[in-house]
Amino acid sequence: MSNSPILSNCSAESIQDAAAALKAGHLVAFPTETVYGLGADARNPIAVKRIYEVKGRPSDHPLIVHISSIDQLDKWASEIPEYAIALGRRFWPGPMTLILKRTSLAGDFITGGQDTVGLRVPSDPIALELISEFERISNSAIAAPSANRFGQVSPTSSMDVIEELEEFLTQFDIVLGGAVSSVGIESTIIDATQKVPTILRPGAITPEMINSELKTSVKFVNENSDLRFSGSFPNHYSPRAKVILDVVPSYGQGLVALYGIETPDGVVRLASPSDSTEYAQCIYRAMRTADQIGLKQIVFFQPPNIGIGLAIRERLQKSAMGRKKY
Ligand code: TXA
Ligand code: MG
């Protein structure tokens, strides 16, 4: 028998099978609107341990628990501030994660031993159906990081997940096929344990959107914080190709730049997004394509530093720091 994971369609029956696989302690990769996730039963320490092994990720690095609606929040989080409820009501389901004080349901093996837990209600319909079905049969939820090896590029399609993780998954694990992720970069993470919300990782829910909802000014995390948040590790989002920012590309290099910016002779144009929303959708795909066709360097012209542009620039700047071996 092959050791490959099952690549499944997203019929109602496949989703039920996937929920049953989670209950049995297996892993299920599934689409979300941000990037694909690698899911396990959030209350099963052995299943969760496999996520860390498959990703090659340090075990003190916490995972996001994916729930089906804001109604599930109390199960996993306590001491929830008013503003967190307001944000959840406004932006869930959607690309936002809230960090809150945990309840005893969120074990140390999910939170990396911290007394907080990350929670998100994704909007992708397959993700929501899977989470709802799993909650129904298990009284649990789905812990899931992005479905890539630690430090590498997040997958935005089921084929990317297969390419990235096939050799580490078993024939009992499932990769749910679905749409290409419509946002294309990971969720905005907001620390909601303090008086004032703090953005730990920028994303498609922008500071402007948060400020306009709360009528206050959201803060940004201090780089010296002792929180183990995403991207606080030195390398992240890194393809094999070297990422270079905002220089004129030369022969044989790849280029990603907004539509309207010309491609010099001999440069491989990887994407021409027409705005920052499209730019977010294409950055990880462009990095994978560059690696697949063997480019050694990719030049990105960064989009303007407003709206989702802030999150794109953060990812690109981390990518440009290069890949490190673990
Ligand atoms: O869009 C997303 O957020 C995707 C999809 C699959 O939902 N997930 C994702 O997970 O990006 P991951 O594990 O690759 O990045 C989530 C980051 C982790 O790096 C971790 O640092 C941070 O969220 N995080 C999770 N729980 C936390 C906590 N209790 N305190 C601080 N940071 C936390
Ligand atoms: Mg990740």
Side-chain angles (χ1 to χ4, degrees), residues 154-224:
S154 295
T156 51
S157 74
S158 54
M159 284 303 141
D160 292 350
V161 176
I162 295 279
E163 176 195 285
E164 183 86 20
L165 297 181
E166 183 170 25
E167 64 183 293
F168 306 99
L169 296 172
T170 73
Q171 71 269 36
F172 303 111
D173 301 322
I174 294 175
V175 178
L176 273 181
V180 169
S181 300
S182 59
V183 174
I185 55 173
E186 304 81 355
S187 61
T188 305
I189 301 182
I190 303 169
D191 178 1
T193 63
Q194 310 294 323
K195 268 215 177 77
V196 181
T198 304
I199 294 182
L200 303 184
R201 178 177 72 184
I205 304 300
T206 62
E208 295 92 327
M209 291 160 76
I210 298 166
N211 289 345
S212 117
E213 178 60 27
L214 300 180
K215 316 272 180 292
T216 55
S217 264
V218 66
K219 291 198 303 187
F220 287 90
V221 74
N222 164 0
E223 290 283 323
N224 301 320

Side-chain angles (χ1 to χ4, degrees), residues 34 57 61 66 116 120 145-146 187 189 201 228-230:
T34 56
R57 170 162 158 165
H61 203 95
H66 294 70
T116 57
R120 178 161 108 83
S146 52
S187 61
I189 301 182
R201 178 177 72 184
R228 286 189 292 274
F229 59 90
S230 176

Side-chain angles (χ1 to χ4, degrees), residues 52 55-63 150 233 326:
Y52 287 93
K55 275 190 70 92
R57 170 162 158 165
S59 61
D60 62 354
H61 203 95
L63 299 178
F150 185 60
F233 284 79
Y326 284 87

Side-chain angles (χ1 to χ4, degrees), residues 80-153:
I80 306 169
E82 285 284 313
Y83 72 78
I85 304 281
L87 290 173
R89 290 225 170 95
R90 173 71 183 82
F91 298 118
W92 277 343
M96 175 185 76
T97 298
L98 295 179
I99 306 296
L100 290 158
K101 288 275 183 245
R102 66 172 167 178
T103 63
S104 56
L105 214 54
D108 283 343
F109 57 92
I110 291 290
T111 68
Q114 303 185 87
D115 64 353
T116 57
V117 61
L119 291 155
R120 178 161 108 83
V121 182
S123 65
D124 180 282
I126 295 167
L128 274 181
E129 233 180 289
L130 176 69
I131 300 162
S132 305
E133 175 63 9
F134 184 59
E135 284 173 349
R136 192 181 68 77
I137 62 171
S138 70
N139 196 29
S140 184
I142 304 180
S146 52
N148 52 283
R149 296 280 288 167
F150 185 60
Q152 298 184 19
V153 177

